[in-house]
Amino acid sequence: MATLTRVRPRSLVRASGGPRYVVALAVDALGTGLLRPFLLLYGVMVLGLSAPVTGTAMTVGIVAGLVCMPAVGRWLDHGARSTVVAASMLVRVLGVALLLAAPAGHVWPFALAALFLGIGNQAWPAAHAALVATVAHGRERDTALAGARALRNAGLGVGALLATVCLAGGTGALRGLAGVTGLAYLAAAGLARSVQVHARPARSATGEGGDEESAPRMLALLAANVIYVFCLNVPEIALPLVLVTQLHASPVWSAAVFVTNTVLVVTLQVPLTVLVSRFSRRTVLALSGLLLAASYLGFLAVIPLGHGWAAPAVAAVSVVCTIGEILYAGSATALVTALAPAHALGRALARFQLSTGFGLAVSPAIITALAPLGPAALWGSLTAATLLSACAVGTEKPLSDEQPRLIRTRPNRCAAGPRGVESPGTGH
């Protein structure tokens, strides 16, 4: 098994799709960071909608966006790569345009804008993972996926910081942020499309009608992933809820936890992914579940410390939670791309994104429902569910998630210019 021992920036950029594609990822993330954290405020402040109505419209848009995933998977399995990535960005341009055109007091235009934004946000991860799997292979692909996540978190953080500064301008500033976001999505789509990455549609060994039957179902992995993704909402929802409403701590602690989480993901995602590349992806994914469960137990243990000590202790334990999140993010998608045969890569990634999107959609409601019942109900439930998920991942009959099964592609042609690159498969 080949193990990466160090990260070479030039090789990482090439494995990620080339310089133009990396710039597209950065521009897209920056634009998303400008608007997505403040979409609720846009509905309330600019359109004059109530907070519950705005939140419901956003949730419906996100969930409805998941409906597009089977079609995205089939599109990817027909060989499309950069075209699908660009389409996921362009559909968000349409969402922003609808947002800017929405009249005050009307919820349906806002809900439609949220729908198109949701479609783009749901389709992008699967399309991006398929593109990276076409230009990189093996552990180089894992590192490229990790690097893209670090870059995206950095762009989201910078965009959110800029938007926070601009919010002093009121409703006019929010409209301006939306407009800049639309332009960023448009520029990113053009850059992504220009790399012209596509794969030659592969055929199942069982023949024309055997694609669905030969694709790995990964039921345990998909079910466990619904629970795993709760960790992504812990710094944004669970910890602020506990710190502010239960411990009555200063909101500064919530901000500190969020900033620490972002900084750690940006700085450690690639190094940790490289460090654990000596182990199987399935082992790392199970280990991440154990770390997440241990951090949930840690939150349960430190909350009774009281107002003076509980807040800093929660912030300290959140570092363990972030390490678990980093290991999860660095192994889960990589495991799916390694398990899926070439003819079913798109559908496998689409199913994985369905489980991710579903977990992200239901986790806020579940967290906010459990929190008032006490720390044991919240953290105890998360611990038990995450341990069960880690066990399911670790004990599932393993497929070959380490051995490259397809022909390596030629990433240099993809990175060098706008000429199309054909690949016979996912390029493990």
Side-chain angles (χ1 to χ4, degrees), residues 224 227-228 282-283 285-291 293 384-396:
I227 303 300
Y228 267 92
R282 189 180 299 277
T283 299
L285 184 56
L287 175 62
S288 71
L290 296 179
L291 277 177
T386 306
L387 282 175
L388 183 63
S389 299
C391 290
V393 169
T395 59
E396 184 182 26

Side-chain angles (χ1 to χ4, degrees), residues 255-302:
V257 167
F258 182 80
V259 171
T260 300
N261 174 272
T262 302
V263 171
L264 289 176
V265 169
V266 171
T267 57
L268 296 182
Q269 184 68 69
V270 172
L272 278 181
T273 301
V274 172
L275 182 64
V276 300
S277 63
R278 67 194 68 185
F279 306 107
S280 74
R281 301 173 181 92
R282 189 180 299 277
T283 299
V284 177
L285 184 56
L287 175 62
S288 71
L290 296 179
L291 277 177
L292 290 171
S295 70
Y296 299 154
L297 282 178
F299 293 133
L300 178 61
V302 301

Side-chain angles (χ1 to χ4, degrees), residues 28-340:
D28 178 75
L30 183 64
T32 301
L34 287 173
L35 180 63
R36 195 166 74 176
F38 306 103
L39 187 57
L40 180 69
L41 291 180
Y42 190 97
V44 173
M45 294 176 59
V46 177
L47 301 182
L49 304 174
S50 68
V53 168
T54 305
T56 301
M58 290 173 59
T59 300
V60 170
I62 293 171
V63 174
L66 291 171
V67 177
C68 75
M69 290 312 302
V72 171
R74 289 191 294 270
W75 193 6
L76 290 170
D77 284 340
H78 280 87
R81 293 294 186 266
S82 57
T83 302
V84 186
V85 174
S88 73
M89 297 170 176
L90 285 175
V91 76
R92 283 180 284 176
V93 175
L94 180 58
V96 172
L98 289 170
L99 199 64
L100 292 171
H106 291 73
V107 66
W108 287 111
F110 177 82
L112 194 59
L115 171 62
F116 284 110
L117 291 170
I119 290 174
N121 289 332
Q122 299 294 346
W124 180 86
H128 164 71
L131 186 147
V132 172
T134 304
V135 298
H137 76 290
R139 295 296 180 168
E140 186 181 51
R141 176 200 58 221
D142 297 13
T143 308
L145 290 170
R149 182 172 191 258
L151 176 64
R152 186 164 180 80
N153 274 265
L156 289 171
V158 172
L161 181 62
L162 292 174
T164 302
V165 174
C166 295
L167 280 180
T171 58
L174 281 171
R175 287 189 178 275
L177 289 174
V180 172
T181 298
L183 293 175
Y185 288 153
L186 188 62
L191 287 167
R193 183 67 184 90
S194 71
V195 301
Q196 294 187 18
V197 177
H198 55 277
R200 185 181 302 116
R203 295 181 64 168
S204 170
T206 61
E208 186 68 27
D211 284 8
E212 285 291 349
E213 290 74 16
S214 62
R217 295 299 180 184
M218 305 179 294
L219 295 180
L221 175 60
L222 296 178
N225 186 55
V226 174
I227 303 300
Y228 267 92
V229 297
F230 275 59
C231 72
L232 303 179
N233 276 329
V234 166
E236 297 184 28
I237 296 175
L239 294 184
L241 189 64
V242 169
L243 286 168
V244 175
T245 65
Q246 296 182 4
L247 298 179
H248 306 290
S250 169
V252 172
W253 284 108
S254 299
V257 167
F258 182 80
V259 171
T260 300
N261 174 272
T262 302
V263 171
L264 289 176
V265 169
V266 171
T267 57
L268 296 182
Q269 184 68 69
V270 172
L272 278 181
T273 301
V274 172
L275 182 64
V276 300
S277 63
R278 67 194 68 185
F279 306 107
S280 74
R281 301 173 181 92
R282 189 180 299 277
T283 299
V284 177
L285 184 56
L287 175 62
S288 71
L290 296 179
L291 277 177
L292 290 171
S295 70
Y296 299 154
L297 282 178
F299 293 133
L300 178 61
V302 301
I303 285 175
L305 293 178
H307 178 70
W309 294 97
V314 165
V317 174
S318 71
V319 174
V320 180
C321 185
T322 299
I323 299 300
E325 173 192 333
I326 290 172
L327 294 180
Y328 156 70
S331 58
T333 303
L335 178 59
V336 173
T337 60
L339 291 175

